[in-house]
Amino acid sequence: MLSSEEQADFLSALAAVERVALNQLSANRELPFAIAFIAKLQHGVDQVVHAAMDQGEKLDCRAGCSHCCNFRVEALEPEIFRIARELKKLSPEKLAELVGRLQSHAAMAKGVSVWDYRIACPFLAENLCSIYPVRPAVCRKAHSFEVGKCEIAGAEIPQSLNIVLRTEALMKGTANAYGKVGLPASGHELGQAVLFALTDETAESRWHEGRAVFDEVC
């Protein structure tokens, strides 16, 4: 439970993020900008986490620790398209292999509730993220003071309230701004959504028209 002061600070930060993002998204309505702009959110989340660590927060997360990669990951529409655009740079052979892996993942993940979800992320390779530079904001904000707790199903993960509140303000404020310019920005299961973005050539343009293109698949 947040104190009244913490709640007020959160709402103020959220409104500030939304205002700045809305100004920029309103000024440039082109599709490439709408997709690329989400990188500002992701960079902001990175900055919050790094600043907290610089100020003495002792996070226990390390490369190769992938417990959180076995839970449902949800990404916003522009994040999904940003990932898909990056993956389309792969060779035809590697892209076909990836699509096959995503199809297998989709068959396992479809219809599974967030509470029952225990499926490895399809972008996890040898306990490392294969899309690390373009990974969603929700992955960037994930952290723990005690990785041992992450191994226990249903355990309460000890986290930094400062990181949680500041990153939530960034994510919600940015999503709200997208919505106010008519671009859907809600969470969708990462693997199924990226598969759809890779295999439906009309997905980007339909999203840019304001249609919720991922609602039918995940």
Side-chain angles (χ1 to χ4, degrees):
M1 178 71 70
L2 298 180
S3 68
S4 57
E5 183 178 352
E6 289 169 336
Q7 179 72 7
D9 287 346
F10 172 76
L11 293 175
S12 176
L14 189 157
V17 170
E18 181 178 322
R19 183 169 58 253
V20 171
L22 182 57
N23 286 341
Q24 294 187 50
L25 288 169
S26 298
N28 189 335
R29 302 300 298 272
E30 298 298 320
L31 174 59
F33 180 83
I35 294 173
F37 180 77
I38 201 64
K40 291 182 179 292
L41 161 64
Q42 297 167 343
H43 180 60
V45 172
D46 289 343
Q47 286 185 314
V48 168
V49 175
H50 293 156
M53 294 174 67
D54 289 343
Q55 293 165 10
E57 298 275 22
K58 303 296 184 182
L59 306 189
D60 203 20
C61 309
R62 298 290 183 273
C65 172
S66 59
H67 299 296
C68 56
C69 303
N70 290 277
F71 293 91
R72 181 181 171 100
V73 173
E74 292 201 347
L76 304 178
E77 280 90 339
E79 294 185 299
I80 294 161
F81 290 125
R82 183 174 184 238
I83 292 168
R85 284 191 168 201
E86 189 65 25
L87 293 174
K88 287 177 182 178
K89 299 176 184 177
L90 294 172
S91 68
E93 295 77 15
K94 288 186 176 181
L95 183 57
E97 179 183 345
L98 173 62
V99 167
R101 188 161 69 247
L102 289 172
Q103 289 171 333
S104 297
H105 169 84
M108 292 187 291
K110 190 170 183 61
V112 179
S113 73
V114 64
W115 308 111
D116 297 326
Y117 198 99
R118 296 295 184 276
I119 304 170
C121 176
F123 299 110
L124 193 62
E126 297 182 356
N127 287 330
L128 295 173
C129 178
S130 64
I131 58 168
Y132 193 81
V134 292
R135 70 197 187 285
V138 70
C139 299
R140 295 166 189 264
K141 75 163 189 164
H143 68 281
S144 173
F145 288 139
E146 189 178 346
V147 166
K149 290 286 184 69
C150 303
E151 302 174 3
I152 305 170
E156 183 174 340
I157 308 302
Q159 294 184 311
S160 162
L161 181 62
N162 171 50
I163 293 176
V164 170
L165 292 180
R166 292 185 65 191
T167 55
E168 281 296 317
L170 283 167
M171 293 167 65
K172 186 170 179 57
T174 303
N176 288 350
Y178 272 97
K180 287 189 174 181
V181 296
L183 296 174
S186 57
H188 300 277
E189 196 279 316
L190 180 63
Q192 295 174 82
V194 171
L195 173 62
F196 188 75
L198 287 173
T199 55
D200 187 320
E201 295 182 356
T202 70
E204 279 191 5
S205 60
R206 290 191 291 127
W207 170 72
H208 197 231
E209 293 168 356
R211 298 171 64 179
V213 295
F214 295 112
D215 285 357
E216 59 198 73
V217 294
C218 55

